[in-house]
Each structure stands twice: as structure tokens, then as C-alpha cells.
Amino acid sequence: MEREMGGSMIACIADNIISPMGLTTEENFSSVSKGMNMLRNHEDTFGLPEAFCASMLDRELISGLFADHALSDNEYTFFEKLCILSATDAISSCALQAECEDVIFVISTTKGNVDMLETEPDCPGCRLAFSAEKIARYFGNSNTPVVTSNACVSGVCAQIAAIRLLLGEKYRYAVVIGCDVLSRFIISGFQSFKALSPEPCRPFDKERKGLNLGEAAGTMILENIGGTNVYGNGSLWEFAACSNHNDANHISGPSRTGEGAFRVLKDILEKIDRDDIAFVNLHGTATPYNDEMESIALHRSGLEDLPANGFKGYFGHTLGAAGIIETILSMKAVETGVIPATKGYGTKGTTYGISASSATRETYRNTFIKILSGFGGSNAGIAYRRRNVPPCATFRKGGEA
């Protein structure tokens, strides 16, 4: 995507994450900082004969939160509840009037209410557009929402779609929500691929056995703030660059040469300052081929020695939420001056080096890159820059130069 922005600046002004690790962004980032995860073995779940390791939300807790909002528990599915609760927190934090005409809702999900197909194959609720309409209308917004459903890259694609809409100046704000919940259909599908690890996953590690799945919802509120240099509370996250490529390699397997991911990184690197990149947040699913492909893409991009990390060892693979929550967590990491550890990583398990670490590291840089790769050869990436300090400036903790 060409960055022909004119005088426009697209900024992230609010966010939220709901996962088994916490109900707010702050709670989730704190849990990551403490090295926690909620990946557990689940037996006799969804009527499946085989146990699986995943991070799953408490259904009763979410229903209780809905009761606190005086919402009808039967009117919305579990997926829709999570989207609404996450968006409510983010919208409240910036006092956005979500019903206004200059607000557009963008929903990222790979499966939505796919579990309803088992009992109600013709019901409207199975359609992603139907759920997106319900979510937007809950907030009184009458605009037709946008849905992105492009395998694992959906969360980054949703951000890119929102940014394009904002640059078109039809809307000033975009409420970007990413969410997926687990079901018999989803778990059994990944089991059929033999892709699931029976224990907490180990991204990029020599002994990795596959991925874990996870449930989460995340919301980013993006604003076209024009060319202003007013950074709110001293900090502003500005969109810097993005790219999509599909290498059309295989229905489920990534390119063995990392072609699509390499092209995404190449596009992004043309538009940002390499010397200001704190880290690359990778997809890091802990499957043999994905991790290997990402190592090749980093090597081809000349980023082999740049710090990198992955969040799947904390949350599992959260599907349509991954691109949203991992972008938000990367923002919080840079704000805190850290590169979060890659939980589960120990010994290099890829042909080329990935500068991942099992320990938290410090950083004083202000830009990060988030990349994802998914089924069908899809690849997407996005970069954000923190604009409360000059690019490449070196600051110590506490603000002392």
C-alpha cells in the first residue's frame, strides 16, 4: 500500500484487550510482563474425544459482565458479547461518540459464529456481516460495517482497511475490533492438520511441537487527526507503513522461501527508519514451517539481527484477534521501553537466526513492525511510530536524557 497521506496522520487513540489474562490492556500487558500464560489442557470439551491445550475465556464471567451492562444474555452470541465488551471499554476511554456518522466499525474475525452451523445451518447469525451489523447497531452506529476475514492476517488487514477508509476522509474515526472464540469446528479442524501442540507452544524453539489456540477480543480506535502536532498526553501512536502480499503457495502451508513475508517487510522498510525499529513482532505460531519461513523472510530482509519476539506462548493463536491484540501489546512494550520475552523459546530451531529471547530486553527506540502470515499464502504487516519523542532519540527510563 502506498503511503500517500498528504497532510493526514492516522493515530491510535484508544485500545482494549480482553483475554483469559485480563479484561483490559493494562491487565494483559501486566500478565505478559510477569511471564504468565493461561494455556491449559482441556478434556471432554466441545464433545471432542481428544484433549487439547488452549487459552479459553470463562463463559460465566463474560455473561456476568454483560449482566452488569444490563444486556440481554440471549440476544447476543458469545462472540458478539466479547466484541461489544472490548469496544465499550476502548470507546469509553476516549469518550468517542460512536453513533456519529464519521465513525466506521471494522470487524476482524476468521470464524465468527461458525459453531451455529452445527444446529442452525441457515440462520442469519452464521453470516459475519449479520454479527457486524448487530455490533455496530448496539453502539447506535448506522454505517454499514466492514468485515475482514482473511485467515490469520485478518487483524492486520482490518487495520489497513480502516486506515484506507480514514485516508479517504469519509470517516474520521474507525473502531477496529478483532475477535474469535473456539468451538468444536475450529479445534477439530486444527487437530485434523496435526498442527496442535499437546503442551504450551514454543515459538522458534528447536523442540517446538505445534501451535495452541486461544480466545480473545481486542479493539483499536484509529483517528485521522490531520497534520496536527498535538500529541495528547505526550504520546501518540502514528501509523507509519503497511503492506499485503499473497504468495499463493498452498491452502494451509506457508511459502518455503518466505516470499510473501519478505515482500511485506521490504515494502515497510522503504517507508520507515531502520535505526528506529525497536523490534519485529512475528507471527510465531510454533509450527515447524511457519517459524522456519519467518526466519528466512527476516534473513532475506537483512533483519536477522534485529530484536524479534512473539506472543503466542502467552495467549495461543487467537486467530482474527491476533493482529489486533499483538499490535496493542507491542505499543505498550515500546511505551514501557521493553521487548517482551518470547515465552517458550529456548534453543534456536530455525535455519536462520531469529533474535528472539526468553528474557525481557530493553529498548529506547520508537517504531515496531507487526507481521502475520496465514492460510492461502496470505501475508500482511504494519508499522507504527511513537511520536512523543524525536525519531532515533535515546532516552533513559525516567525521562533522563
Side-chain angles (χ1 to χ4, degrees):
M1 173 182 174
E2 295 296 325
R3 186 180 176 230
E4 296 176 354
M5 298 175 60
S8 297
M9 180 185 292
I10 308 300
C12 179
I13 62 170
D15 55 73
N16 167 268
I17 298 172
I18 294 177
S19 84
M21 301 256 278
L23 300 177
T24 65
T25 296
E26 291 70 25
E27 289 178 2
N28 278 275
F29 186 69
S30 175
S31 295
V32 168
S33 300
K34 295 172 183 175
M36 298 170 57
N37 72 36
M38 290 297 288
L39 295 169
R40 304 288 186 267
N41 284 322
H42 297 271
E43 297 182 356
D44 300 321
T45 304
F46 302 130
L48 292 168
E50 185 179 342
F52 59 91
C53 183
S55 177
M56 296 184 62
L57 284 154
D58 184 332
R59 267 65 175 163
E60 291 185 6
L61 173 64
I62 298 303
S63 293
L65 291 173
F66 249 61
D68 290 343
H69 284 268
L71 298 174
S72 169
D73 195 57
N74 295 323
E75 185 178 350
Y76 300 94
T77 65
F78 183 55
F79 162 73
E80 293 156 1
K81 294 174 189 177
L82 280 175
C83 289
I84 290 171
L85 288 171
S86 178
T88 296
D89 183 80
I91 289 168
S92 298
S93 70
C94 65
L96 176 68
Q97 293 181 309
E99 71 278 8
C100 291
E101 292 183 358
D102 62 354
V103 178
I104 184 69
F105 279 72
V106 181
I107 312 297
S108 162
T109 184
T110 66
K111 302 295 187 292
N113 294 317
V114 70
D115 57 303
M116 297 176 71
L117 288 171
E118 288 195 37
T119 56
E120 303 175 75
D122 296 322
C123 73
C126 299
R127 303 169 193 153
L128 301 183
F130 183 83
S131 287
E133 289 271 359
K134 283 177 68 177
I135 292 162
R137 300 301 174 260
Y138 168 78
F139 292 100
N141 189 281
S142 60
N143 292 321
T144 301
V146 174
V147 177
T148 66
S149 185
N150 187 14
C152 304
V153 305
S154 299
V156 169
C157 288
Q159 295 175 58
I160 295 173
I163 288 163
R164 287 172 172 162
L165 289 169
L166 297 182
L167 290 176
E169 298 185 350
K170 183 176 181 180
Y171 307 101
R172 180 173 177 179
Y173 302 95
V175 180
V176 186
I177 308 168
C179 182
D180 265 307
V181 298
L182 301 182
S183 66
R184 178 185 177 88
F185 176 87
I186 295 171
I187 299 295
S188 62
F190 278 92
Q191 286 177 335
S192 70
F193 286 146
K194 306 297 182 185
L196 297 184
S197 171
E199 59 190 38
C201 63
R202 306 181 67 174
F204 315 116
D205 189 80
K206 183 180 179 180
E207 302 299 326
R208 66 190 185 278
K209 299 178 180 179
L211 61 82
N212 306 133
L213 293 170
E215 296 181 324
T219 301
M220 299 173 64
I221 298 182
L222 303 178
E223 178 185 2
N224 184 340
I225 62 174
T228 180
N229 288 318
V230 178
Y231 302 147
N233 296 323
S235 179
L236 177 144
W237 278 103
E238 174 198 9
F239 158 72
C242 63
S243 178
N244 297 78
H245 281 280
N246 191 306
D247 54 45
N249 178 70
H250 185 269
I251 190 172
S252 62
S255 166
R256 300 296 189 266
T257 61
E259 188 63 30
F262 162 68
R263 290 182 177 275
V264 165
L265 288 169
K266 182 176 180 290
D267 289 348
I268 290 174
L269 290 170
E270 290 175 355
K271 299 178 177 66
I272 63 175
D273 184 350
R274 280 182 182 243
D275 293 333
D276 196 42
I277 303 172
F279 57 86
V280 180
N281 179 246
L282 299 169
H283 195 32
T285 61
T287 58
Y289 291 129
N290 178 86
D291 290 7
E292 174 71 4
M293 177 276 292
E294 288 194 291
S295 82
I296 294 170
L298 288 174
H299 173 75
R300 293 180 63 186
S301 304
L303 297 177
E304 193 171 336
D305 296 325
L306 186 76
N309 76 328
F311 287 116
K312 301 296 191 295
Y314 301 95
F315 298 91
H317 190 343
T318 56
L319 305 174
I324 305 292
I325 71 170
E326 293 174 8
T327 296
I328 296 169
L329 291 167
S330 295
M331 289 177 174
K332 300 310 169 187
V334 172
E335 289 174 4
T336 311
V338 299
I339 304 166
T342 300
K343 191 170 183 64
Y345 175 76
T347 303
K348 173 191 166 186
T350 54
T351 299
Y352 295 101
I354 290 178
S355 185
S357 174
S358 60
T360 301
R361 293 167 284 177
E362 291 189 344
T363 184
Y364 304 113
R365 296 178 176 181
N366 301 297
T367 301
F368 70 88
I369 301 172
K370 168 64 197 163
I371 64 171
L372 292 169
S373 298
F375 288 174
S378 56
N379 300 269
I382 196 161
Y384 286 90
R385 178 188 303 114
R386 191 182 183 209
R387 291 294 300 270
N388 68 320
V389 293
C392 303
T394 299
F395 284 76
R396 293 186 176 88
K397 291 182 178 179
E400 180 184 353

